[in-house]
Structure formats: structure tokens, C-alpha cells
Amino acid sequence: MFTSVDDVSARLAETGYLASPAVATTVFLAARLGKPLLVEGPAGVGKTELAKAVAQVADARLVRLQCYEGVDESRALYEWNHAKQLLRISAGRGESWDETRTDIFTEEFLLPRPLLTAIRGDEPTVLLIDETDKADVEMEGLLLEVLSDFQVTVPELGTVTATRRPFGVLTSNAGRELSEALRRRCLFLHIGFPEEELERRIVRLKVPGLGAALTESVVRVVGALRAMDLRKVPSVAETIDWARTLLALGAGTLDETVVRDTLGVILKHQDDIQKAAAKLDLDAL
Amino acid sequence: MTDVGDRITGLAAALRAHGVRIGTGETVDAARAVEALGLADRERLREGLAATLLHGPGQRVLFDPVFDLYFPRGVGGPEDAPRDREALRDRLAEALAADDRAMMARLAAEAVDGLGGYGSSPGSDGWSAYQTLDRLRPQTLLARVRADVRGRDGNGGAGFADRLLDDEIRRRIEEFRRLVGAEARRRVAERRGRDEIARRGVRPTADRVDFLIANRDQLTELRRAVQPLARKLATRLAARRRRAARGTIDLRRTLRSSLSTGGVPMRPVLRRRRPVRPELVLLCDVSGSVSGFSDFTMLLVQALHDQFGKVRVFAFVNRLDEVTGLLDHGRADPDGLSARIRAEATLTGWHGSSDYGVALGEFAERYGGAVGPRTTVFVLGDARTNMSDPNLPAVRELARRARRVYWLNPEPRDRWGTGDSAAPAYAKLVEMHECRTAAQLSALIAGLLPV
């Protein structure tokens, strides 16, 4: 899939995803070792984006399983199409039971859900399991077989093994501690907030209209906000939003008024806004 | 390759000694990662090993220093290092102003080599990061670096972001201090064997530090962990609550309803659970010896307040006062919490040392109404009564009135009952748990909190 770490960063950059060295190295290893990637990190640092970018780079189909509380086997793995099976039974009147039975448990009546879809396909696939921490613990057990052996067992059909291993990406916001067994099967990647230099490049790429000096100031202020003890520190997504806001407002440089008026774009709690305003001396004038 | 193999297994063993769970499978993966990445780029190697060996973000702070020991930047001291302190400071100021990480790392190596050695020369007996930093005093370079950066930009500091400059420079200096620490550890490890240094010289993660010996930085770090930890505990509590809500079978009603189906219990009837929100009362010893522990627990419980019907927090040293109001969300400035409690609540009477007997008696007398059959009480403290009466009847009465009483003791179990500790006496009346680290505390809270 990739020839080297540099190859990863170069090709990801082409799709508009600027990868830090850590991200590029881990993606390269995941492809090379054939292990799924468990990506953790605060909201808005581009965990899901990474999976999409990898899919685009590898020219692969993206199969996405969005996890939520109560997601189960029939939503994640497969389900029998009961209505169609009933139709089949009532249509085949004169048949013996044995014929009908062997017929209704075939691929035709199987509704594949994301995990099975990803495993059965012949074309390259990126399997994105999003917000794994939202799913229940039982769901993790289900993922173990899929992620370690890339196979799914359907009792009536037998075991379906992947002919071509999908590139697995699991994301988590660490809302719940994922089980050790699941972590063991994955390569672990923590995407934190980017270094200043990388973030400048990201802003430049996403909001090209913003001046270089203003970009630098934006990134520096966001960096300072992250160092403060806030309830919700701004993420990369917020940096980009802020840059867009400033561009839309036509601000040439950052000054007290502009920052005070737009602080709500990057900080989402009133306490945080007050604290940041005090620390940044916004009331000094 | 065998040498690299040894290093990987050594690294894994050192991480295991710090409580990171690494299996053979991960070590094999790590070796395969090294094979795929090669040894040319050290930072890539670091990321690759971290990806294969670690399982959570908290382990990274442990991993980095250990990695630096097993895969050092270089061997021995730098060549022809100048031993001139002033020249070193000049170059450091320049590197800080330019935010040149590579240069900072090199200067850290030179500084440790030139200023950090102690013992009989030549070839000193050891290297000390503390001594290096004490002689070099990088923190005093702040003003100079600031002027330097401003001069370089040429605008004299007119921009808005300029006011952030001081903090940025401070962070760079902090980074340099960390580099010096890593370098000193590496040099010592060369002399004394890296396995030993990796086990002893690397700080454990904050949640495994003993509350009683944690320093200020570690306590601050812990306080920052309160919110994420509370969120995790809340999901765990919610899961327990959901499981509990499934309930047990109500035999009488199941049999009654089975009459309509000819005595065959077709549909089991579950016992209904009364939707009560549990109430929580916290009694915290905030005297000097255990205040770090109490502060952390108070903040954690406060962060969990929406899980409970009512939370009341009382603090005591030898007198007791309610501090629930001081913990309110809007006012919560976690760093100043203990100072505020001490300033605004009446906690001490004639003397300043803790007295459990008097405080517990006062609680029973003044706030006895706070405890009812729905209340779970947590007592936090080391149960060291300073030789006064432990007032066991008050605790017995408390245990009788409350739903449950738990005592969390930050002292190791083998020290209970030594000296003036009344722990065994209290432990006979209420359930006492050892609670030395944040990791232990979160496990206890997840298991003990009522749902």
C-alpha cells in the first residue's frame, strides 16, 4: 500500500490531510503489519478525516460503522432478511421443508452490515469503526474476531474469511476505557494537538485567503489557550473555524476587540471565555 | 540485530515494571515495526515502538523517558564541549529565541557534560540534572530572549499575539529543562546500567503516585485529570445503573400473573426499582498530611455531582464545617481550593492538629440530620488521632443511620495501627479501604458509589 513513511505523508498531503510524523509512521506500520489502527484523541483533531484520507489515497472503498449505545450484531455484522425469507417460503408451495430450508439460508437472504461488507469485498477497503467508545462492551467482543483474524462466522453459512484484509481504523474519544483485549489487537495512535508549525500549515491549507501574519497570530493565540486550564480547550477544527470567521470579518490583524468579539467561536463555555479574557488581558484597554 | 532485540525486550521489561501491560505479542510487533522502519530515523522509531507497545495515552509520559534510555541520541559526552558557562548561556538564549529544538538538545548534552558532573574528575561519578540547571539558570534568560525575539521581528512588540511571548518562552525553557533531565538520566544509565535507571529514575504516571508523597506538580497534574476521570466514572456508573435496572424476578407477582395462563409462568414479572437518586456525604480530613488526597477526592465527587440527588461535603481538622458551597462549579478554581477552605471554614479550635474524635462528634451533633437511610457516607483520612479519643460511639451511630459508610485511607495497609493510628478500631465498625493513588481511588469509586 505504501512504500515508506515519507510516501505516506506525501500522499496524504495530496488529499489535503497534513499528517504529523507520528501519524504517518503509525499509518505506515498499520499497513505494513496488517493490524488495525486504534486512534484516540480529543474531538476535532481529524481522527475520522484520517480514515477518509487513507481510503482516498489507497483508492479504497470506505466502509463505515458508526457506533452508538446499543449498536448490536444485526446492525454491525449481518442480518437475515426475514421478510424475503417469508415470501420465499410462501412462494414455494409444493416444496419439501428440506429444500426450502437449504434455500432460505443462502447469501441471497443475507443482509450484510458494515463489518461483513468490509470482509467480503474483493476490492481494497478501509473499514472505519467510528466512536468505538460509544458502543457497549458486548460489541467489543464481536469486534475481536473481526479485527484479529478478519473473519466472521455466520452459523448457517460457515466462516467468511477476508480474501483481502481491510485497513481497519477505530476511533475513540476515550469516553469509556476500551477493553485491553481490543487494544491489544490494534496499533495505538494518539492524535494530540499539532505542533505550531504543522497547525500553521493546516490553517494555510484550509483557509488559504488568510494572511501569513494573521495565521501565525491565530495559531499562537490558540496555542496559548490550550496551555490554560480550560474546561474545553480549542481543537484544530475550532482553529480553522476561527480563521474562517476572521477571514469573513475581513480582519487584518488581531487586536483586543476582534479577539473579544470572536472568542465564542473557539471557546464553548462561558467560564472558559471569562477565564481566557482575563488571561489574555482583553480588558486592559 | 540481537543488540536491537535486547534493547526492545529491555524496553518492554522496563515499561512492565512501571505497570504498563505488554504481552509477548506486542514485543514481537515492536520488533517487526523496527524491521519495517529501520534505525535511521530516531523519531520514527519512537513513534513506531509507541504505536506497537502502548495501549493508552496516559502511558506515553512513561514511554518517552524510557525510550530515551534504551535508544539514546548518542553515546558518551559531546566532543570538545566548552566548559564556559557564559558562552553556553549565550548560545542557549539564541536557540530559545529561534525555537531551535535540535540546537536545544545539543546544548542540553553539552550543559550536562560541562556543568552536571560531580565526584572525582576526570570522568565524573555521575551527572546531576539539578546541578546543571542550578548552575546554568535557564529561567533567568527570559528577559534576554524576549528582547531578542522582539528585535528580530523588528516591530517592537506591537502585535496582539506578542503578549503571549513570555508564556511561549517559558514553555521552551521548560522543554529545555526536560531535555537536560533526559540527558542526565542517559549519562547516568551509561555508567550504572540502563535497566536500573529505567526502573528507578523515571517518574511514574500521576495516577500511580502515592497521595501522601506527591509533590505540587503532581497534585496539579492530578487536578487536571479530574474532569476526564469524572466523565469516565459517570459512564461506568450509568452502565451499572442500567444493569441494576434489569432487576430480579418478583416471584409473587409472576405466580399471580401465571394464573391467567393456567399456572404456566409465561411472562416473568420483574421487581420494580424505585427511582431514587442516592445521596452522598463526604467527611474529609484536610489537615496538612492528607490534604492532597482530600482535595482530589472532593473535586472528583463534585465533578460527579449530577449523578446524585444530593452531595454534601464536610471538612475537618479538629473542628468540622460544611464546605459544599465552596466547591460549586462556577467558583471552582481547583488550585486554590484548599486555601479557600482553610480561609472560609472553621476547621480548627485550640490547636492545629487533626482530631477525629472531636470532629466526628461535632458532625453527629450539628449535622446528624444530613445522614439518612438513603445516604452513603465516605470518610477520607488517615485515622491518625494524635493520641486523642477516637470517639467510636459516634462512628457506630453514623454506621447505624447511613445506608453505607466507607472509609478511604491514603496510608498503606501495613501502616494502619502503627503509632497514633486508630485505623483498626474504625475498620471494625465501617468498611475501610486502602486508597493510595488516583488509580486506586477511581477503581474504588467505580465499585463503591451507590447507583
Side-chain angles (χ1 to χ4, degrees), chain A residues 230 260 263-264 267-278:
Chain A
L230 299 177
R260 198 186 310 124
L263 213 50
L267 298 178
K268 311 289 173 169
H269 291 283
Q270 189 56 30
D271 310 354
D272 286 357
I273 293 181
Q274 279 166 3
K275 201 170 192 175

Side-chain angles (χ1 to χ4, degrees), chain A residues 202-215 243-244 246-248 250-252:
Chain A
I202 293 174
V203 172
R204 229 176 285 146
L205 185 77
K206 301 280 173 191
V207 196
L210 205 68
L214 192 52
T215 306
R244 289 210 175 110
L246 294 176
L247 186 66

Side-chain angles (χ1 to χ4, degrees), chain A residues 18 31 38 97 132 179-180 218 237 250:
Chain A
L18 298 177
L38 170 62
W97 165 239
T132 317
S179 72
E180 198 72 8
V218 164

Side-chain angles (χ1 to χ4, degrees), chain A residues 5-6 22 25-26 29 33 35 40 69 174-175 177 180 183-184 187-188 190 220-221 224 254 256 259 280-281, chain B residues 23 26 29 32-33 36-37 44 47-48 51-52 54-57 160-161 163-165 168 231-232 235 242:
Chain A
V5 179
D6 292 320
T25 310
T26 319
L29 278 181
L33 303 186
K35 288 190 102 182
E40 275 192 356
E69 212 173 309
E177 203 63 59
E180 198 72 8
R183 289 173 179 276
R184 244 166 232 291
L187 290 186
F188 178 75
H190 180 263
R220 278 176 72 183
V221 173
L254 277 188
E256 278 83 2
V259 174
L280 289 175
D281 292 336
Chain B
E26 281 96 319
D29 276 343
R32 286 170 66 201
L37 292 170
R44 277 182 195 165
E47 298 302 338
T52 44
L54 302 186
H55 298 132
F160 174 80
R163 66 185 64 183
L164 310 171
L165 192 60
E168 284 170 6
R231 219 180 39 184
K232 255 179 217 166
T235 29
R242 227 178 9 251

